[in-house]
Amino acid sequence: MHSPRSLAAASAALLLAATMPQLAQAREIVGFSDNYSSGTVVVKTSERSLYYVLGNGKAVRYPVGVGRRGKQWTGTAFITSKQLRPAWSPPAEVKHDKPSLPDVIQGGSPSNPMGSAALTLSGGGEYAIHGTNDPGSIGGFVSYGCIRMHNADVLDLYNGVGWGTTVVVTR
């Protein structure tokens, strides 16, 4: 027979587990019928999802943070560099809006918005797919146009793509 104290503790644990927010499910393999070649990265900003196309009707889907209102863009770009623990220099528009930011934040710093890795994109060097040290921003309209990923997810993508990989950003 269980004591009233152990039953109360078990009940409290079950209640706590039921009321705690669930962790967001990160990457998962999903069906993908859009007509893109295997190896293409597709960002659907309206879904706040990034797809790494595997082919045969499958893709890896990652949750992402995307550009806020007025900062979103669409089009095709290519990965021009891959960096682990990159330093970050705020673009002019960001520096204008937040003049207190330093000119450079070293890689690995908790205040560095690039997180654990960055895949820079063609088109002027302003945009990247990168990690974040603010995981609560994933799933939102939060950036100046960059695509934010959980650090573990950007490292997974980093290992799967190469320079020149096509990146398509849609609404």
Side-chain angles (χ1 to χ4, degrees):
M1 178 115 197
H2 297 288
S3 73
R5 180 175 282 172
S6 65
L7 288 175
S11 295
L14 286 172
L15 180 62
L16 180 62
T19 59
M20 288 184 64
Q22 297 297 308
L23 293 175
Q25 186 173 4
R27 62 186 171 268
E28 61 182 334
I29 296 178
V30 298
F32 190 80
S33 59
D34 293 11
N35 193 22
Y36 294 101
S37 300
S38 176
T40 302
V41 172
V42 179
V43 178
K44 295 186 178 187
T45 57
S46 64
E47 294 179 16
R48 276 127 16 251
S49 293
L50 180 150
Y51 296 87
Y52 178 58
V53 180
L54 300 173
N56 296 321
K58 300 284 185 200
V60 181
R61 179 175 59 196
Y62 303 88
V64 296
V66 297
R68 61 181 76 161
R69 176 178 275 185
K71 308 296 182 192
Q72 294 178 8
W73 60 279
T74 60
T76 301
F78 302 93
I79 294 175
T80 57
S81 74
K82 294 171 53 171
Q83 303 165 28
L84 292 172
R85 296 176 48 136
W88 180 69
S89 296
E93 182 180 14
V94 175
K95 188 73 170 172
H96 178 267
D97 291 350
K98 300 175 183 180
S100 64
L101 284 172
D103 292 335
V104 176
I105 299 175
Q106 292 304 312
S109 168
S111 61
N112 183 321
M114 300 297 273
S116 60
L119 306 166
T120 57
L121 302 176
S122 60
E126 295 282 318
Y127 301 119
I129 299 169
H130 62 80
T132 183
N133 293 322
D134 180 13
S137 67
I138 302 301
F141 296 97
V142 293
S143 74
Y144 278 75
C146 285
I147 309 302
R148 291 185 192 174
M149 301 178 76
H150 289 288
N151 281 326
D153 288 346
V154 77
L155 289 170
D156 185 64
L157 184 64
Y158 180 98
N159 288 323
V161 300
W163 289 23
T165 295
T166 302
V167 177
V168 179
V169 179
T170 67
R171 295 240 189 253

